[in-house]
Amino acid sequence: MMIDDDVETGDLGPYQERPRIFPNMRSKPYNPLIFRVFKRINVRVLFILLLLGFGGIFYIGARTSPIIVFVFTVCIFSFILSIYLTKWVLSKDEGPPEMVQISDAIRDGAEGFFRTQYSTISKMALLLALVILCIYLFRSTTPQQESSGLGRSTSAYITVAAFLLGALCSGIAGYVGMWVSVRANVRVSSAARRSAREALQIAVRAGGFSALVVVGMAVIGIAILYATFYVWLGVDSPGSMKVTDLPLLLVGYGFGASFVALFAQLGGGIFTKAADVGADLVGKVEQGIPEDDPRNPAVIADLVGDNVGDCAARGADLFESIAAEIISAMILGGTMAQRCKIAGKNEIYRNPSGFILFPLVVHSFDLVISSVGILSIRGTRDSSAKSPMEDPMAILQKGYSITIFLAVLTFVASTYWMLYTEQAPSAWVHFALCGLVGIITAYFFVWITKYYTDYKHGPVRALALASSTGHGTNIIAGVSLGLEATALPVLVISVSIVSAFWLGNTSGLMDEAGNPTGGLFGTAVATMGMLSTAAYVLTMDMFGPIADNAGGIVEMSQQPESVREITDVLDAVGNTTKATTKGFAIGSAALASFLLFSAYMDEVATFAREPFTQVDIAIPEVFVGGLLGSMLIFLFSAWACSAVGRTAQEVVKEVRRQFIERPGIMDYKEKPDYGRCVAIVAAASLREMIKPGALAIISPMVVGVVFRILGYYTGQSLLGAKVVAAMLMFATVSGILMALFLNTAGGAWDNAKKYIETGAYGGKGSDCHKAAVTGDTVGDPFKDTAGPSIHVLIKMLATITLVMAPVFL
């Protein structure tokens, strides 16, 4: 029975007893242009085209290296597995009609915002591509480029093509993340009516599909670029470019990926948290209605936000992390191989390409071991049998332990296969230990973040207790918890960087002067170790918003309390997995930024044709550069948080207006206008994402050019490059600490609220719960807008300085 009929007849029974069918909010289903083109092509023609495409890729791979063929093969198999996971998830039932209609509304909102957001981002990317092209056409060339006959125009077009490909792949990674989440959420809701284990398995496999595609695309994209440039430029043939110089041509790819990820994270983060804050402040605090209650006009916008902010943005974020780490490690591997004179084309043990292609092999194995971890999470044999509910976190942790164990085995095998060299026969053992340092670092990061954000542990329970004495004490406790939570991760990062550098330095690899050269590559290998389980970690991350959406659909469609209990447990675990992934992301960002910083110094030395090995912060201008870098992080965070605040104010006003003008909403006599809130948040988040994003892109370029001019007039030749290096260094350090604080404090506030909702300290609706909701509201922009955007910002500053290095000289 439709709600309109009820209003006419006055037949409005108790809400819980009434079957509800929601207004059909669908406009028309949206498919991206590329999908529409593929659908029109005959299946046989499409099959032949795909076969030709794969044939071309493998031909280029075979011309380049057997290692590239191996990487292509693994990536394609992982794509096939991801198709199987999608079919498996989509084969599950969507539940009753009221669930389907809510899911359709969420899907339309998410796809509509994604379309608008990415059309804005693509226009900005094209504009930036033109700027890069102009800069590269008028810049100086390196001695290596001159000797290989690579002119300015060729170098410019290669960088721009790499930038646009990186941006495109990053966008696709984001779309894939959102595409699966808006289809899996309703299936998880439906499965929760039967068993918790089945709901968990669907959410994990949906996240697994997205993770395999994101990691696979990052790896295959770089591999295709590398192989294409290798064959096209005739690398390693007489009079052409050396293979050790080739990775520098890939820098544009990393910059393109970072550029899109930053705006995806900012726009998505502002959308999701503005809707969430607005819905909570009016719904929970003022009106006293539950979370995700269908009477709340902002509830659909909140659920749409989970998909565009957490799924799409995080897919682009991790894609960019892996791309930046692979490229920086390839550059450092090439530089080290060049210095150590590891050469020779046919004998693999003396071939520098082993050191250059090592990151691609590590991430190919990541796809294999993460697939095993994802498939290890199974449903119960008999889903109809009611068994006691297992802890979802323990099940996910078991899968992670399997993945880590396999990561150690494959990493040791990869180092022996790729990094054995007759010049230093024991070097591969040292690098294997560097990888182990990275894997242990990842495990510690996941554990530390879990300790500070899971309500099974002391810190979150202490925060919940602080809520019992009011709103102010909750805020104080949350801020102090976030500040404290920066200590252990920083100690872990510090130990891992020093350990990996020392292991690399003692590997026995020496340059012509007899100086050890493996230190930086050791830290690169540790970063690879940390990211060697990235696909499984992304799976755990995607699980969070899918579970959150499922809970919203269950609440809105008024399912029995037992079903909501299952989705509440999954949602609380999802909050913890999201927080652990952010910890993991900031740890890998710290290590990757250290590598990119080293790659920047190498590139400056190459262009300047003089050594550039250290930055002296005792020089006043260089110290000022450092101050500007730290300031950039704080200003960026301020603008990101204030953007959420301003947009949330618009939502709060709209929700209050609807409750005043439509008093029947609270008695279910009138329908809220969900679409209005979605439109407000979408327009505001697109408007608000520009300012902080532009600040991040323009700042390093302006600082570099201004101090270059100053250096020219004061006779300091490398001043611009030195000031940018200091800016990069200080921004990285400040950014790591700021992101750790924001992510952990936000996650802890959220789970303190969830803990009280389980019945602690008076449970839902109590004064303690209202104080916890205030804390959660403050933490929302911290953990889902500013914090995750800083991960991307740190790496984007590093990639933009790499791309723009010639401008600073």
Side-chain angles (χ1 to χ4, degrees), residues 437-617:
V437 165
I439 292 169
I440 292 166
T441 302
Y443 192 83
F444 271 127
F445 255 87
V446 168
W447 186 86
I448 291 165
T449 318
K450 185 170 168 283
Y451 172 73
Y452 278 109
T453 56
D454 193 338
Y455 64 56
K456 292 189 189 71
H457 302 292
V460 174
R461 294 196 173 203
L463 181 53
L465 178 62
S467 308
S468 62
T469 50
H471 300 252
T473 47
N474 169 280
I475 300 297
I476 293 166
V479 170
S480 60
L481 183 150
L483 292 169
E484 182 192 313
T486 59
L488 281 176
V490 166
L491 291 173
V492 170
I493 289 173
S494 306
V495 170
S496 65
I497 288 176
V498 172
S499 309
F501 191 88
W502 180 81
L503 282 165
N505 240 15
T506 55
S507 62
L509 288 166
M510 307 279 182
D511 63 13
E512 287 175 307
N515 301 315
T517 58
L520 277 176
F521 190 68
T523 54
V525 174
T527 313
M528 286 177 238
M530 188 166 187
L531 284 167
S532 63
T533 54
Y536 189 85
V537 172
L538 181 59
T539 300
M540 290 203 297
D541 184 70
M542 291 287 183
F543 163 84
I546 291 170
D548 192 353
N549 254 219
I553 291 170
V554 164
E555 179 70 42
M556 285 191 75
S557 59
Q558 296 297 304
Q559 298 302 312
E561 193 61 35
S562 59
V563 181
R564 181 70 209 197
E565 280 170 16
I566 287 174
T567 54
D568 275 350
V569 172
L570 292 178
D571 186 16
V573 169
N575 275 340
T576 306
T577 59
K578 281 194 289 185
T580 53
T581 312
K582 285 165 192 160
F584 176 87
I586 197 61
S588 62
L591 290 171
S593 299
F594 180 67
L595 303 183
L596 288 162
F597 179 72
S598 307
Y600 166 73
M601 292 181 80
D602 277 350
E603 193 185 4
V604 169
T606 308
F607 276 104
R609 307 184 192 199
E610 60 179 277
F612 184 57
T613 53
Q614 57 192 34
V615 179
D616 184 0
I617 59 166

Side-chain angles (χ1 to χ4, degrees), residues 67-420:
I67 298 162
I68 293 286
V69 175
F70 167 78
V71 169
F72 285 162
T73 307
V74 172
C75 288
I76 286 163
F77 273 111
S78 76
F79 292 148
I80 292 167
L81 175 63
S82 66
I83 291 167
Y84 161 74
L85 291 175
T86 316
K87 294 195 106 166
W88 186 89
V89 169
L90 296 180
S91 69
K92 299 295 174 183
D93 73 289
E94 295 183 306
E98 58 268 28
M99 277 188 177
V100 177
Q101 292 203 1
I102 297 161
S103 170
D104 285 348
I106 295 166
R107 187 187 310 174
D108 279 353
E111 289 182 341
F113 175 71
F114 186 92
R115 188 162 71 248
T116 314
Q117 182 192 25
Y118 274 74
S119 72
T120 307
I121 293 172
S122 59
K123 286 168 193 164
M124 292 191 291
L126 287 170
L127 185 67
L128 189 56
L130 279 174
V131 171
I132 295 169
L133 182 67
C134 295
I135 288 168
Y136 268 63
L137 284 172
F138 297 104
R139 68 168 205 173
S140 57
T141 53
T142 65
Q144 290 91 329
Q145 287 172 344
E146 285 169 11
S147 64
S148 63
L150 190 67
R152 283 182 187 176
S153 57
T154 313
S155 174
Y157 291 124
I158 281 174
T159 306
V160 169
F163 171 80
L164 290 173
L165 183 65
L168 176 69
C169 290
S170 189
I172 293 170
Y175 183 75
V176 164
M178 186 208 66
W179 185 90
V180 69
S181 67
V182 294
R183 284 158 179 80
N185 52 18
V186 70
R187 290 167 170 85
V188 174
S189 306
S190 180
R193 296 178 306 153
R194 295 186 290 276
S195 80
R197 187 69 181 250
E198 188 188 347
L200 172 73
Q201 189 187 13
I202 293 171
V204 167
R205 289 197 167 188
F209 156 74
S210 177
L212 292 175
V213 171
V214 167
V215 177
M217 273 184 53
V219 175
I220 204 168
I222 292 171
I224 289 172
L225 262 188
Y226 178 91
T228 306
F229 292 159
Y230 188 96
V231 174
W232 178 42
L233 300 171
V235 171
D236 269 354
S237 54
S240 65
M241 180 179 269
K242 289 178 184 171
V243 72
T244 49
D245 297 324
L246 183 55
L248 269 172
L249 298 178
L250 307 174
V251 168
Y253 186 86
F255 181 33
S258 301
F259 177 82
V260 170
L262 181 72
F263 282 101
Q265 190 68 71
L266 271 172
I270 293 166
F271 187 109
T272 182
K273 289 303 112 181
D276 196 359
V277 168
D280 283 357
L281 284 177
V282 184
K284 284 187 192 173
V285 178
E286 293 181 10
Q287 300 292 339
I289 57 178
E291 187 166 2
D292 300 326
D293 191 290
R295 291 170 291 180
N296 194 327
V299 71
I300 291 284
D302 182 10
L303 295 172
V304 167
D306 290 336
N307 294 292
V308 296
D310 287 335
C311 292
R314 196 75 72 256
D317 180 359
L318 214 72
F319 174 89
E320 174 267 340
S321 286
I322 293 164
E325 176 262 328
I326 289 175
I327 291 165
S328 58
M330 288 172 87
I331 291 169
L332 291 172
T335 306
M336 190 188 70
Q338 202 169 14
R339 284 179 186 160
C340 299
K341 301 294 179 200
I342 298 169
K345 191 164 172 66
N346 298 319
E347 297 172 66
I348 193 163
Y349 293 144
R350 288 206 300 273
N351 193 343
S353 64
F355 287 87
I356 295 165
L357 299 177
F358 179 62
L360 294 174
V361 170
V362 169
H363 286 292
S364 300
F365 278 123
D366 169 20
L367 290 167
V368 175
I369 61 176
S370 296
S371 301
V372 175
I374 292 160
L375 295 173
S376 72
I377 295 169
R378 296 182 166 277
T380 47
R381 297 245 172 117
D382 181 11
S383 62
S384 62
K386 289 283 178 188
S387 54
M389 189 171 175
E390 300 165 88
D391 178 12
M393 195 71 210
I395 298 166
L396 290 171
Q397 202 71 42
K398 185 181 162 193
Y400 186 51
S401 301
I402 291 168
T403 310
I404 281 210
F405 173 72
L406 292 172
V408 172
L409 296 180
T410 54
F411 208 95
V412 171
S414 304
T415 46
Y416 180 73
W417 176 31
M418 303 291 289
L419 304 182
Y420 179 85

Side-chain angles (χ1 to χ4, degrees), residues 683-725:
S685 55
L686 289 171
R687 184 177 67 245
E688 296 283 0
M689 76 178 185
I690 304 293
K691 193 167 79 167
L695 173 78
I697 292 162
I698 294 166
S699 299
M701 293 159 70
V702 169
V703 167
V705 171
V706 166
F707 280 95
R708 173 196 172 174
I709 295 164
L710 190 66
Y712 176 77
Y713 286 109
T714 56
Q716 300 174 73
S717 61
L718 292 180
L719 187 64
K722 285 176 182 173
V723 171
V724 169

